[in-house]
Amino acid sequence: MSLIEGRTGSWEIVIGLEVHAQVVSEAKLFSGASAAFGAEPNTHVSPVDAAFPGMLPVINRHCVEQAVRTGLGLEAQINMVSVFDRKNYFYADLPAGYQISQFTKPVVGEGKITLDMDDGSTREIGITRLHLEQDAGKSLHDQNPTMTYVDLNRAGVALMEIVSEPDLRTAEEAGAYLRKLRSILRYLGTCDGNMEEGSMRCDCNVSVRRPGDPFGTRCEIKNVNSVRFVMQAIEIEARRQVELIEDGGAVIQQTRLFDPNRGETRPMRSKEQAHDYRYFPDPDLLPLVLDPKMVEDLKRNLPELPDKKKARFIADYKLSPYDAGVLVDERITAEFFETVAKGRDPKIAANWVTGELFGTLNREGLGIEQSPVSAQALGELLDLMGDGTLSGKLAKDVFAAMVKTGKAPAEIVEEQGLRQVTDTGAIESSIDAVMAANADKVAEYRSGKDKLFGFFVGQVMKATQGKANPGVVNDILRKKLAG
Ligand code: ADP
Ligand code: MG
């Protein structure tokens, strides 16, 4: 466990995260307007989103299904009856004067997320709830020197708010939690997890305490938009609280903002200034009653999720937990690997995917879906190694050429004449030549200087431009040197 060492002793950090995840959906939660990102301002707005008088919200079935699927993916309780409430507050980007959300009766109740820690252990983090709610519009302060503009494209877009229990204890755990949650959401296809575009945003609740003491007073850091910033904000906020308490002060419950440029959190509003949202059930919407058969169907058709896939990769392919974890992080990477591994040595397949392929993708700044080498082609390359056509060294050269040209490995082998030499006759004559040119070394070797063996192998490989099969070279060389 990593504690903060203060002036007066150790402190433990307590963290609970509230994640807003935008539901992958064509239309908004209660209107038919498009939910697509990046359109011209105010082009995706229906009279419902603009809160024209007399407009009625109609629930989007697809969004409900996505929330239920997410709940199932988090192994959570699905509430067969849930209620939409009005959360009342005034703001220019909220034309109705209230947000439709769920308060006392959310669609999804308690669940959990399993974290894989660096030391190979796992930690279970409780999910308190998941509820559906609308997003607000956006105020644009930089379009005009004296006025603020409002863009309602986002108003009414469906969000899932996923709330964790205060179970996290370090910034690293919070980072691991967010990455795991994002991975699950992407597998399910219920949220694209894109934090830069704001389709996943995080509020961090942070408090500190002496180990073993009851929870301390927390502060909430609003709308942090990357995993790295979440981790930084938690560290910085926890240190601020420790210093404050050690100086004789007390933490007051507050909403704060993280400023990554200055490396500090700043107060936004305190509990006394907090909104009284006057929640009440939305009279325009009936309680949401789920059909048990629909929930059953969604459950049956859930994809294999990262934890299960990882366990299967370890059991079936005998991969290390680390390799398996890396390969299952994204569904598409796992599929790529399984295509390469099919009918081949899985360990070698894993090494090539996580080594050569990931290295290339990182260097070129590409995602695996843009990989210049397909899973099919990488598999063919491994086959050329398997049947002795290519040595490991030559295979790496061919791989580099595949990345450059997009050609099939067999074609590159033909074109460049890279075929590994397994012909014993050819190898024998080049060994003879090397021995003749190094008669002194041969004598030294024969008088007991075994270490020279590597030198001879190197010379033969050099003479054959790396194409000789190293196994064959070793065998013949050993015999000939023995005299
Ligand atoms: P609110 O209704 O004010 O948002 P909640 O009880 O729903 O408060 O908690 C919101 C988040 O704060 C949850 O993620 C929860 O785990 C976290 N949390 C609650 N108490 C603490 C605490 N003492 N320290 C850190 N996080 C906390
Ligand atoms: Mg809250």
Side-chain angles (χ1 to χ4, degrees), residues 312-334:
R312 180 167 63 81
F313 279 15
I314 293 170
D316 291 3
Y317 296 123
K318 309 282 177 277
L319 299 185
S320 69
Y322 178 80
D323 280 351
V326 170
L327 288 170
V328 304
D329 191 36
E330 296 271 359
R331 190 172 171 175
I332 172 167
T333 307

Side-chain angles (χ1 to χ4, degrees), residues 68 72 291-302:
V68 170
L72 292 168
D291 173 5
K293 181 165 177 314
M294 175 192 98
V295 177
E296 265 317 302
D297 287 349
L298 293 175
K299 190 170 188 177
R300 202 160 359 93
N301 292 312
L302 235 44

Side-chain angles (χ1 to χ4, degrees), residues 313 316-320 323-324 327 336-358 375 377-388 390-393 395-396 399:
F313 279 15
D316 291 3
Y317 296 123
K318 309 282 177 277
L319 299 185
S320 69
D323 280 351
L327 288 170
F336 192 105
F337 162 73
E338 289 209 275
T339 306
V340 179
K342 192 159 190 228
R344 305 191 176 95
D345 183 331
K347 191 75 206 151
I348 294 177
N351 284 344
W352 275 79
V353 172
T354 59
E356 224 62 21
L357 182 73
F358 280 9
L378 180 54
E380 287 165 20
L381 179 66
L382 300 196
D383 289 341
L384 290 174
M385 271 168 69
D387 70 12
L390 292 176
S391 64
K393 156 92 183 59
K396 287 192 179 170
F399 183 83

Side-chain angles (χ1 to χ4, degrees), residues 38 65 129 131 134 163 184 193 214 238 243 310 334 339 369 420:
E65 288 176 355
R129 58 190 271 145
H131 67 253
Q134 305 173 295
V163 182
I184 293 171
E243 276 170 31
K310 181 177 173 186
T339 306
E369 65 283 351
Q420 173 170 254

Side-chain angles (χ1 to χ4, degrees), residues 18 87 131 161 163 203 205 218 220 222:
E18 295 168 275
K87 179 178 181 179
H131 67 253
E161 179 169 337
V163 182
D203 301 341
N205 296 272
R218 71 187 149 103
E220 178 175 5
K222 277 278 175 204

